[in-house]
Amino acid sequence: MRHCINCCIHLLPNDFHRHCFRCRGPDHNNQKCPVCRGENKIPLYTDSKQMKWLAVLEVRTDHCESWNGFFCLRKGKLCSLMFGLIIMTLVMVSYILTGAKHGLLLIPSPFHYGAFASNPSLMDNESLSDMKDYYQPSKMNISYVRDYPSIKLIIDTITSKIEFITRQRPDLEELRKQEPHMFSVIPNKFLPNSKNPCWYEEYRGNTTADPYATNSYALYSKRFRIIFDYLRKVFWNHLYHYKDKHYRLRCLPHFYIIGQPKCGTTDLYDRLRLHPDVRFSAIKEPHWWTRKRFGIIRLRDGFHDRYPVEDYLDLFDLAAHQIQSVLQSDAVKEHGKRSSIVIGEASASTMWDNNAWIFFYDNSTEGEPPFLIQDFIHAFQPNAKLIIMLRDPVERLYSDYLYFASANKSAEDFHEKVAESLQLFEGCVLDFPLRACVYNNTLNNAMPVRLQVGLYVVYLLDWLTVFNKDQILVLRLEDHASNMRYTMHMVFQFLDLGPLSEKQEALITKSPASNTRRPEDRSLGPMLPTTKAILRDFYRPFNTKLAQVLFDDAFLWKRT
């Protein structure tokens, strides 16, 4: 079959293709030709038969003339070429992104945020200064197994900077200057016939007004409004009348479950509140000491109005009503017996979260907070009891990631976030003391995973600067899971709770575990073995110190 070389249309036998202006010769006039003006269409013939109208091809010649001798590409071929280029570009981008994720690129990916280089020339015997010269985050990529030596160098740098220095405890007058209102509300003496720090406070409000109208917990959270609706109904029945004045009983907790998150504190809370002598705050985790008193609901949302201490005390009104009923009973009045009810509070942030200090407290030393949560709790409650539930920090971090990460969760993503967090933590300890980095709000918000929460011994040592060791009970989640009856008995004894019947004990110890891992998170499987090895190395010196402080090698977590 012949073709017209000018317009690429198939020619039939004996067809001179007179419709083509180039085939008709040099005398052809484009302006007069009806084909060139677009008035007619050229029917395409195949096997001497005219095709259907869908196959009609309209030939335009203006573009060919404008190229002055270059090949004229028809629209179909041009579109095919562009489509092919787009497909090839997408394939290349897919290769780059996939290769960067799995460490398969022959050259570092410019699209990766960078973490650690996989350089075989960087061995353990090279100096740290050589590593720093080579260290170029923008050109590095994660390759999981191959990046372990490079990450190990960063962990070695962090380990070399670890120094456990006893902090200076502020005196009482300094604390008063920082929180004058709190000290004006909470007295320094409490009722002698209650285990809890309780006192009577004069109520000056109007008897027809809502006593909880300004409570921030009720205002900012819909789920707490039902609780406060009930408190409004019973409030007036529990006012104590004396010499033409109204008084209400105020109480602080006798004990605090202070940490740590994802270590079983919710399960411990749920079991303890089944004990007939235990009462908790109306809200499980008020987070008042660490966040709400500074006006923090969520750090990412900025600051709101600060929650006054009165709002926090309102959360214990239900327990205070029950204690007041016991105190006013004849048995207590006549025989001087003490109320057996103990109040607890279970905010898992209390042990570690001092992120707000930098916005409110001045005179810091080398970036360290001058005042910590425990300083204020001890100022009001020097006899408070503290319960801490801990867990292998490696597993705690992965559980924390699965619980709080919102999208794209995977073992690989966790690995990359751990690597980035270690890099940020190293940058801090190179310039600041360990405690300054642990309590550094900017660093803690920048790290993709909360590495610092697993540095248990740093927080414990700071709590031990103000509280005696016998006031703190430290438990392991692993022991609680394997022998719940034993750990609960330890808690009962620590809090000096009354004996239980077999039925009551069975109800507490045999109920299902609370706040376990969600099914969709279980399906993601465990963390990568390389990630686990990296975190083991990072937490090892902190676990070693913790085991020394507690005189218990179980806190080394060697068998988990």
Side-chain angles (χ1 to χ4, degrees):
M1 183 176 286
R2 297 181 300 119
H3 295 76
C4 171
I5 194 170
N6 295 313
C7 59
C8 304
I9 294 179
H10 294 293
L11 298 181
L12 299 174
N14 301 321
D15 189 351
F16 294 101
H17 194 205
R18 291 184 176 87
H19 292 287
C20 179
F21 78 95
R22 293 190 183 185
C23 296
R24 296 181 65 175
D27 295 330
H28 179 72
N29 189 325
N30 293 344
Q31 301 300 325
K32 296 180 179 180
C33 177
V35 176
C36 298
R37 292 205 309 266
E39 297 176 4
N40 296 316
K41 295 181 179 178
I42 303 172
L44 184 64
Y45 288 84
T46 303
D47 298 331
S48 300
K49 294 181 181 179
Q50 185 173 352
M51 293 180 66
K52 293 181 180 180
W53 66 274
L54 291 173
V56 173
L57 177 66
E58 183 178 2
V59 179
R60 299 185 183 273
T61 62
D62 298 339
H63 298 293
C64 297
E65 289 182 337
S66 64
W67 281 90
N68 296 325
F70 283 88
F71 289 103
C72 179
L73 293 174
R74 290 173 54 203
K75 288 184 178 179
K77 290 196 173 184
L78 184 60
C79 291
S80 298
L81 178 61
M82 294 301 296
F83 182 76
L85 289 174
I86 291 172
I87 293 297
M88 185 164 35
T89 303
L90 292 174
V91 170
M92 289 297 295
V93 170
S94 176
Y95 165 73
I96 290 172
L97 295 178
T98 305
K101 183 177 181 180
H102 295 287
L104 301 174
L105 295 184
L106 298 178
I107 59 174
S109 166
F111 301 101
H112 200 281
Y113 63 79
F116 307 98
S118 300
N119 186 351
S121 66
L122 279 175
M123 303 305 290
D124 291 341
N125 57 357
E126 286 195 278
S127 68
L128 187 59
S129 60
D130 293 337
M131 172 60 186
K132 289 179 182 176
D133 292 338
Y134 181 83
Y135 185 66
Q136 299 176 359
S138 62
K139 296 182 180 179
M140 297 178 183
N141 69 288
I142 297 290
S143 57
Y144 306 133
V145 176
R146 293 200 304 270
D147 69 344
Y148 177 77
S150 299
I151 301 178
K152 185 66 167 64
L153 285 174
I154 288 181
I155 294 174
D156 290 344
T157 302
I158 295 172
T159 303
S160 68
K161 295 293 181 178
I162 294 175
E163 192 174 3
F164 300 103
I165 301 174
T166 304
R167 66 181 287 262
Q168 284 288 85
R169 176 178 167 181
D171 59 41
L172 188 60
E173 287 306 312
E174 291 178 303
L175 298 175
R176 288 181 184 274
K177 291 177 182 178
Q178 297 299 325
E179 299 287 353
H181 177 69
M182 199 189 310
F183 279 89
S184 69
V185 173
I186 302 175
N188 53 14
K189 290 184 179 180
F190 305 110
L191 297 176
N193 49 359
S194 173
K195 289 184 177 180
N196 308 277
C198 296
W199 68 98
Y200 279 106
E201 173 188 277
E202 184 180 353
Y203 181 73
R204 296 183 175 89
N206 191 322
T207 54
T208 60
D210 179 4
Y212 303 105
T214 60
N215 187 286
S216 300
Y217 286 101
L219 293 174
Y220 287 120
S221 180
K222 293 180 180 179
R223 64 193 179 102
F224 299 147
R225 290 176 186 172
I226 297 176
I227 297 172
F228 284 99
D229 285 342
Y230 174 76
L231 286 172
R232 289 184 185 97
K233 294 177 181 178
V234 301
F235 178 81
W236 306 108
N237 298 330
H238 293 278
L239 285 179
Y240 178 63
H241 304 281
Y242 181 73
K243 292 184 179 180
D244 298 327
K245 291 183 179 180
H246 298 287
Y247 295 88
R248 64 189 295 190
L249 187 66
R250 289 292 208 177
C251 294
L252 281 169
H254 172 65
F255 71 95
Y256 296 85
I257 300 175
I258 63 174
Q260 289 287 60
K262 309 313 298 177
C263 290
T265 55
T266 299
D267 187 76
L268 179 61
Y269 162 84
D270 284 338
R271 295 181 192 283
L272 258 180
R273 67 178 181 164
L274 295 176
H275 195 288
D277 292 340
V278 176
R279 304 291 184 274
F280 276 97
S281 55
I283 300 165
K284 175 187 176 285
E285 293 188 281
H287 297 295
W288 185 79
W289 291 101
T290 55
R291 299 169 189 170
K292 300 299 192 295
R293 71 186 178 102
F294 298 108
I296 298 172
I297 297 177
R298 297 180 186 86
L299 277 173
R300 64 176 179 270
D301 296 336
F303 291 92
H304 297 259
D305 294 335
R306 298 181 71 172
Y307 289 31
V309 65
E310 291 88 345
D311 290 1
Y312 180 60
L313 295 174
D314 286 347
L315 301 181
F316 304 102
D317 276 1
L318 283 174
H321 294 165
Q322 296 180 38
I323 292 172
Q324 183 178 350
S325 298
V326 175
L327 294 179
Q328 292 178 349
S329 65
D330 294 336
V332 174
K333 289 180 180 179
E334 294 178 6
H335 304 288
K337 292 182 178 179
R338 299 181 72 190
S339 169
S340 60
I341 295 176
V342 295
I343 303 175
E345 198 252 75
S347 298
S349 63
T350 307
M351 180 177 181
W352 64 275
D353 190 353
N354 282 275
N355 285 324
W357 74 267
I358 196 170
F359 302 106
F360 295 92
Y361 300 141
D362 298 326
N363 304 320
S364 64
T365 304
E366 294 186 336
E368 297 184 21
F371 310 104
L372 297 177
I373 303 303
Q374 52 265 41
D375 298 329
F376 293 98
I377 294 178
H378 183 270
F380 300 114
Q381 301 175 249
N383 299 319
K385 293 194 173 185
L386 311 168
I387 301 175
I388 302 172
M389 181 81 86
L390 302 180
R391 173 188 190 179
D392 180 356
V394 176
E395 297 297 335
R396 193 219 70 81
L397 187 65
Y398 190 50
S399 179
D400 197 64
Y401 162 79
L402 293 177
Y403 186 81
F404 288 106
S406 57
N408 302 320
K409 290 185 284 190
S410 68
E412 292 78 14
D413 180 66
F414 177 65
H415 180 95
E416 294 191 17
K417 284 178 166 55
V418 166
E420 184 180 353
S421 299
L422 285 169
Q423 192 174 353
L424 291 168
F425 196 79
E426 180 207 25
C428 183
V429 296
L430 286 173
D431 298 323
F432 297 97
L434 175 63
R435 185 181 289 106
C437 294
V438 170
Y439 294 121
N440 187 304
N441 174 68
T442 303
L443 173 65
N444 293 341
N445 288 334
M447 287 194 296
V449 290
R450 301 193 295 182
L451 281 174
Q452 80 282 6
V453 178
L455 306 180
Y456 307 139
V457 70
V458 177
Y459 305 112
L460 179 60
L461 288 173
D462 285 348
W463 281 84
L464 287 172
T465 60
V466 291
F467 286 97
N468 295 326
K469 201 170 182 179
D470 59 2
Q471 292 177 259
I472 303 176
L473 175 64
V474 184
L475 304 170
R476 294 195 329 147
L477 176 61
E478 293 83 0
D479 299 330
H480 181 67
S482 63
N483 194 344
M484 197 169 297
R485 187 173 181 272
Y486 175 74
T487 57
M488 293 309 299
H489 272 272
M490 288 181 65
V491 174
F492 298 155
Q493 184 177 0
F494 177 70
L495 297 177
D496 194 23
L497 298 178
L500 295 172
S501 65
E502 291 185 8
K503 185 177 180 180
Q504 289 173 325
E505 184 175 314
L507 178 64
I508 293 174
T509 58
K510 294 182 180 181
S511 57
S514 302
N515 202 22
T516 57
R517 186 170 296 179
R518 295 169 294 208
E520 60 269 26
D521 291 338
R522 287 198 208 102
S523 64
L524 296 175
M527 72 184 82
L528 298 175
T530 304
T531 315
K532 180 175 284 191
I534 288 168
L535 290 172
R536 286 259 181 268
D537 290 340
F538 172 69
Y539 285 118
R540 183 174 294 112
F542 299 98
N543 293 343
T544 300
K545 181 66 175 179
L546 179 65
Q548 293 171 356
V549 171
L550 297 175
F551 299 101
D552 190 347
D553 287 345
F555 290 94
L556 294 172
W557 283 286
K558 287 184 176 180
R559 297 181 181 180
T560 57

